Amino acid sequence: MSQNSGQPPRPAAGPGHNSGQRLPRTIFAPEHEQFRDSVRRFVAAEVLPHYADWEEAGVAPREVWLKAGAAGILGTSIPEDYGGSGGDFYFDSVVVEELSRRFIAGPAWELHSYIVAPYILRHGTEAQKRRWLPKMASGEVIASIGMTEPGGGSDLKAVRTTAVRDGGDYVINGSKTFITNGIAGDMVLLVAKTDPKLGAKGISLFLVDTSLPGYRKGRNLKKVGNKASDTAELFFDDVRVPADCLLGGENDGWRCLMTELVQERLLVAVRAMATVEAALDETVEYTRLRKAFGQSVFDFQNTRFKLADAAAEIQVGRIFVDRCIQLHVEGQLDARTAAMAKLWTTEMQQRVLDECLQLHGGYGYMWEFPIARAWADARVHRIYAGSNEIMREIIARGL
Ligand SMILES: Cc1cc2nc3c(=O)[nH]c(=O)nc-3n(C[C@H](O)[C@H](O)[C@H](O)COP(=O)(O)OP(=O)(O)OC[C@H]3O[C@@H](n4cnc5c(N)ncnc54)[C@H](O)[C@@H]3O)c2cc1C
């Protein structure tokens, strides 16, 4: 029970940026900041008012994808020739940061736009780019990526889904699980074995239209967090795809995956950093307003020390992640450094969010309080995009 009379304090406008208390960031140009303002307005008008409904439904409607497409959110770094805005990864980061600052974990726009689209851009044929990218930028096509299987996700080399060449087609059999956008998706970038004898060297990627016969969507899985984004099982029973659905060369999938996982892991770090910054700001505000034993919760030394520790970790992490973003834009971010960014920020995020939730008392455990959602949504960051144990393996290999 609350020690106070009346309602708990609720920061009315959501978490602010509190940037005055942090070192100024130097990586963004004025056009990125202008775009940030438009994303912020979009999130306030088109996402926040409906977010609780999407969480309840376990999926967001197509309509908001189309609106996000029209607002330029889905095609930030897709070239203009293919229907996007032709921006760089700084623009992608701005979108992820603005969603994270409002603790918005779905729809999974970053997976669609900043994970799947780059595979097509870097490894696709001209025909594949023309077929998929304009509709992905507009939101008419929703994309997913199918790597993980019921038998295991960490050991990608062991995937059991197969694609067997048959004349001008491949015939796909197998199943995937935990696939984000699996329910809403119109296309899945699928990881399958084209030569099971070769292990990692026998993996290929396919762009599979989800309306093909033999393709089946399973349940929308009930999750601990990320509730506004759908996550599904997928089944492939003799799904026949034309050979021109192969992305990259046959048996070239592993190389493509290793290249693209760098950006995927950096995106998780970008999200984690923006989330903890917002959580700290929100918790400072909450604890200043909340009273116990005749003083504000913020004024207990325990609160101030916990928040000081968080502020210090966040500042250190911000400098590192901004440097990683910069390196990535310059094409210089290596797999090990990306693994460090993903590992460290997501472990730090869990510590900080847990303390922030604790400082909210019982209200911190209520779903309607942003800190509760942030805490639950963040848990998966240590698991997906390669678990943090796999990140440690990657880092250790280079020591
Ligand atoms: C909400 C959500 C969304 C997801 N979205 C997608 C998606 O869109 N597409 C997709 O393909 N996948 C997706 N995933 C799957 C995710 O990438 C996997 O869950 C993850 O890679 C771990 O695989 P696993 O669950 O099979 O765990 P396992 O591989 O079974 O691992 C179990 C445990 O063993 C540990 N472990 C495994 N190998 C080692 C090792 N060598 N050394 C030490 N420890 C090890 C792991 O770290 C983990 O702690 C999603 C998962 C979730 C929960």
Side-chain angles (χ1 to χ4, degrees):
M1 283 285 284
S2 163
Q3 299 258 345
N4 295 12
S5 59
Q7 294 299 306
R10 284 168 187 265
H17 284 221
N18 201 24
S19 52
Q21 295 176 22
R22 299 188 186 112
L23 292 175
R25 299 179 69 186
T26 55
I27 61 171
F28 295 111
E31 61 264 30
H32 300 119
E33 295 303 344
Q34 264 168 18
F35 179 62
R36 186 188 297 284
D37 286 341
S38 75
V39 177
R40 208 174 285 165
R41 282 195 300 275
F42 180 85
V43 170
E46 302 294 348
V47 178
L48 287 173
H50 311 290
Y51 193 63
D53 294 339
W54 303 341
E55 285 190 315
E56 198 66 41
V59 64
R62 169 84 49 168
E63 186 196 354
V64 72
W65 284 82
L66 297 173
K67 285 182 178 171
I73 284 174
L74 302 182
T76 36
S77 52
I78 294 176
E80 288 178 25
D81 261 7
Y82 304 116
S85 314
D88 50 28
F89 184 74
Y90 291 127
F91 286 97
D92 303 347
S93 303
V94 162
V95 173
V96 176
E97 287 182 3
E98 288 310 310
L99 294 170
S100 309
R101 283 188 211 288
R102 303 311 298 260
F103 307 124
I104 300 297
W109 289 329
E110 64 224 63
L111 179 124
H112 166 93
S113 298
Y114 317 138
I115 295 177
V116 179
Y119 274 90
I120 303 174
L121 261 175
R122 273 190 277 271
H123 310 287
T125 61
E126 189 56 28
Q128 287 169 335
K129 290 177 196 172
R130 297 229 169 265
R131 175 171 181 196
W132 296 112
L133 293 175
K135 288 191 172 167
M136 284 176 68
S138 68
E140 288 162 272
V141 159
I142 297 178
S144 59
I145 185 162
M147 301 190 225
T148 306
E149 302 192 346
S154 300
D155 187 5
L156 265 182
K157 290 177 186 138
V159 294
R160 292 165 71 169
T161 298
T162 55
V164 176
R165 187 78 193 229
D166 182 30
D169 298 336
Y170 284 90
V171 179
I172 299 174
N173 279 289
S175 62
K176 299 285 171 182
T177 194
F178 307 144
I179 306 307
T180 305
N181 294 339
I183 295 291
D186 307 292
M187 181 266 274
V188 56
L189 195 169
L190 185 76
V191 178
K193 280 272 174 69
T194 31
D195 192 341
K197 292 190 303 295
L198 293 180
K201 295 202 172 102
I203 288 176
S204 301
L205 305 181
F206 293 87
L207 297 168
V208 180
D209 183 332
T210 64
S211 64
L212 288 172
Y215 177 95
R216 193 160 49 85
K217 296 173 182 179
R219 294 178 295 143
N220 190 358
L221 301 166
K222 292 267 181 220
K223 304 188 293 293
V224 169
N226 280 14
K227 291 178 191 285
S229 116
D230 51 305
T231 306
E233 299 166 303
L234 306 178
F235 302 96
F236 302 82
D237 299 314
D238 286 330
V239 178
R240 189 169 275 277
V241 298
D244 63 7
C245 293
L246 182 69
L247 182 77
E250 190 173 279
N251 297 337
D252 196 27
W254 188 256
R255 184 190 62 81
C256 301
L257 285 166
M258 291 306 110
T259 314
E260 301 307 323
L261 280 166
V262 168
Q263 177 154 318
E264 181 169 342
R265 286 164 187 163
L266 177 58
L267 283 164
V268 177
V270 169
R271 181 170 269 283
M273 277 315 307
T275 301
V276 287
E277 285 171 344
L280 176 63
D281 297 348
E282 206 270 342
T283 307
V284 168
E285 210 174 330
Y286 181 89
T287 54
R288 278 191 194 286
L289 296 171
R290 180 78 174 165
K291 298 279 185 286
F293 295 96
Q295 65 178 77
S296 82
V297 170
F298 182 83
D299 285 329
F300 295 117
Q301 188 187 53
N302 176 67
T303 306
R304 291 185 298 111
F305 279 16
K306 294 281 193 223
L307 293 177
D309 282 345
E313 286 204 278
I314 288 169
Q315 183 61 83
V316 172
R318 169 50 68 206
I319 303 292
F320 176 51
V321 171
D322 275 1
R323 181 73 185 121
C324 288
I325 296 173
Q326 236 172 358
L327 282 171
H328 189 53
V329 172
E330 292 161 8
Q332 301 294 324
L333 185 68
D334 61 275
R336 224 173 126 237
T337 311
M340 288 179 181
K342 197 261 180 188
L343 168 66
W344 191 84
T345 57
T346 58
E347 296 287 338
M348 179 271 286
Q349 174 179 230
Q350 204 73 50
R351 287 194 298 277
V352 167
L353 291 180
D354 200 68
E355 292 295 0
C356 288
L357 187 152
Q358 183 71 15
L359 292 172
H360 281 70
Y363 291 107
Y365 198 65
M366 297 299 122
W367 196 256
E368 64 192 277
F369 272 68
I371 198 68
R373 284 209 319 270
W375 179 79
D377 292 346
R379 186 62 185 84
V380 76
H381 293 176
R382 290 165 59 209
I383 298 170
Y384 65 18
S387 72
N388 281 5
E389 289 69 38
I390 298 300
M391 296 306 100
R392 291 184 176 96
E393 278 295 330
I394 293 169
I395 297 163
R397 256 179 242 150
L399 296 180

